[in-house]
Amino acid sequence: MLSVRDAEAIILNLVQPLDPQRDIEIIDLLAADHRILSTPVTSQLDFPHWDNSAMDGYAVRYEDVQHSSDAQPTSLEIIEEIPAGYQPQSTLQPGQAARIFTGAVMPTGADTVVMQEKTRREENRVFILAAPQEQEFVRHKGAFYQGGKQLLPRGVKLHPPEIAVLAAAQCAKLSVYRRPRVAIFSSGDELVTADQILQPGQIVDSNQYALAALVREAGAEPLLLGIVKDHPDALREAIAYAITHADIVLSSGGVSVGDYDYIDQILESLEAKIHIQSVAISPGKPLTVATFPTPHSPLPTPHSPIYFGLPGNPVSAMVTFWRFVQPAMGKLSGLAGGWEPEFLKVRSHHELKSNGKRETYVWGSLHLIDGVYEFHKAGGSRSSGNLINLAQTNALAVLPVGTTLISPQAEVQVLRVALG
Ligand code: AMP
Ligand code: MG
């Protein structure tokens, strides 16, 4: 059976990122949060755009004020007042100063700003009470960024700080990668939707709802194909549709070794290449990963979608999504990097156990205790059939193959799976 690491490597190797020329859309900066830049951004503007004052005070010529002190203040004539947003009208001559405010443009002739706390005002004269540093409190044109250089590279995910930068650079419209499209369906004769009346033996297809939310959280667009009966014809039709309409296909259920688990044989009949059939992970062992030979997708860049046949158990489906599908989606989405899962070393509050045979993921939550993260495993049964205690999960503790026990207060690696 494949190790988790090997499975991850195979999957990431199968993923072809979206095309930065074709798989793009132009969007408004106001709608850019969480989108990924598909083109590097360059601005022609310098930052700051012009020499400006970092203080409320007086723009002066350093030469005039370099010997100022409390005992021997320099007296200067105020020739102009320059608030932020105005173009100075005059040029400073020896013996002159301009009243200036934070962010206002430096007048020609001035090279230094004296903060107002180090001055005394008498009508149209100002007394400089201390010698400033030469060029003090002047923000020079281009000191933060010079026009023409790259401002942001391709593949960056846009968050409020990048959006502020892009706004300042007047990038009101942006080219970003389109959202990956992820087709989702569930297979199982026992499944109904959340709004149907349950008959004996039926359960709700919770995976469809969970996977749709996970896909959206990962920045992609879910294409919900509903519940498909455990019947080869129905499954074949669903899979054939899904692989021509999505970048990634997620099915859940039907990949185990039961009599009604048809997915793998249908994939084979569709000429899929099956790369993975099971992984040494708990929960989640039955995991199918496949690709298809012919790109027949109507999407802008026709490429072969990756098929993930996730286990039907709700916990297994989510764990395998977090561990394998999410990184694949990150790479596919055009992100320049950082899609690999991030493991943190934290303290375990509880004793954690595994049979040591498969890499084991224990669901639970991280808590900040005196500034140190502590992992608390979820209460109740750790059965992959128990989805109830999955609520509030924001981390999975990982017990590697061969580790059967982690004692309370001992260090454990965790995979963060949700923020907050
Ligand atoms: P399977 O992988 O099809 O053998 O399913 C394993 C277990 O997960 C069975 O108990 C199913 O009833 C349950 N299951 C399968 N699909 C879903 C689903 N979409 N939502 C919730 N539970 C499911
Ligand atoms: Mg089933």
Side-chain angles (χ1 to χ4, degrees), residues 13-59:
N13 208 23
L14 291 173
V15 176
Q16 267 193 4
L18 294 177
D19 185 302
Q21 261 76 48
R22 281 169 298 176
D23 290 319
I24 57 166
E25 56 193 58
I26 307 295
I27 58 158
D28 255 30
L29 182 56
L30 280 170
D33 200 15
H34 289 95
R35 302 304 299 268
I36 301 167
L37 271 187
S38 59
T39 311
V41 173
T42 303
S43 174
Q44 293 315 313
L45 290 168
D46 291 318
F47 285 83
H49 311 321
W50 5 260
D51 289 359
N52 71 97
S53 175
M55 284 284 166
D56 293 331
Y58 293 87

Side-chain angles (χ1 to χ4, degrees), residues 187-191 230 252-256 260-261 312:
S187 83
D189 287 349
E190 73 280 33
L191 304 173
D230 283 324
S252 72
V255 288
S256 213
Y260 296 95
D261 296 334

Side-chain angles (χ1 to χ4, degrees), residues 101-289:
F101 298 92
T102 305
V105 180
M106 288 290 284
T108 321
D111 57 14
T112 301
V113 170
V114 179
M115 64 199 288
Q116 109 191 3
E117 291 83 342
K118 301 277 169 66
T119 65
R120 195 178 72 238
R121 177 85 183 248
E122 278 179 24
E123 292 172 354
N124 76 331
R125 296 202 77 80
V126 61
F127 293 87
I128 308 300
L129 305 177
Q133 306 274 321
E134 191 168 1
Q135 304 196 6
E136 199 170 14
F137 301 129
V138 179
R139 301 174 185 143
H140 290 283
K141 174 176 158 66
F144 306 150
Y145 169 82
Q146 284 160 356
K149 289 189 173 170
Q150 184 172 292
L151 192 59
L152 289 174
R154 161 186 301 146
V156 162
K157 193 177 248 190
L158 302 175
H159 294 299
E162 292 78 28
I163 288 173
V165 169
L166 291 167
Q170 296 199 299
C171 302
K173 299 266 184 204
L174 297 171
S175 173
V176 296
Y177 287 101
R178 68 175 171 83
R179 293 182 191 280
R181 181 119 43 117
V182 181
I184 302 171
F185 72 89
S186 303
S187 83
D189 287 349
E190 73 280 33
L191 304 173
V192 295
T193 58
D195 54 357
Q196 284 175 312
I197 294 167
L198 280 176
Q199 302 298 335
Q202 295 185 325
I203 60 166
V204 173
D205 169 20
S206 59
N207 288 347
Q208 185 114 200
Y209 299 86
L211 290 170
L214 286 163
V215 161
R216 268 195 214 98
E217 270 189 14
E221 189 188 313
L223 174 65
L224 300 181
L225 303 182
I227 298 164
V228 181
K229 292 283 181 205
D230 283 324
H231 189 281
D233 292 344
L235 284 166
R236 195 169 205 283
E237 196 185 325
I239 294 174
Y241 182 86
I243 61 176
T244 52
H245 288 80
D247 303 293
I248 288 182
V249 179
L250 302 179
S251 66
S252 72
V255 288
S256 213
V257 292
D259 287 350
Y260 296 95
D261 296 334
Y262 295 119
I263 301 260
D264 287 9
Q265 87 198 44
I266 291 163
L267 290 173
E268 274 161 7
S269 80
L270 288 167
E271 291 172 37
K273 182 164 168 34
I274 298 186
H275 302 267
I276 296 176
Q277 272 180 309
S278 69
V279 181
I281 184 170
S282 169
K285 184 172 76 165
L287 170 74
T288 294
V289 179

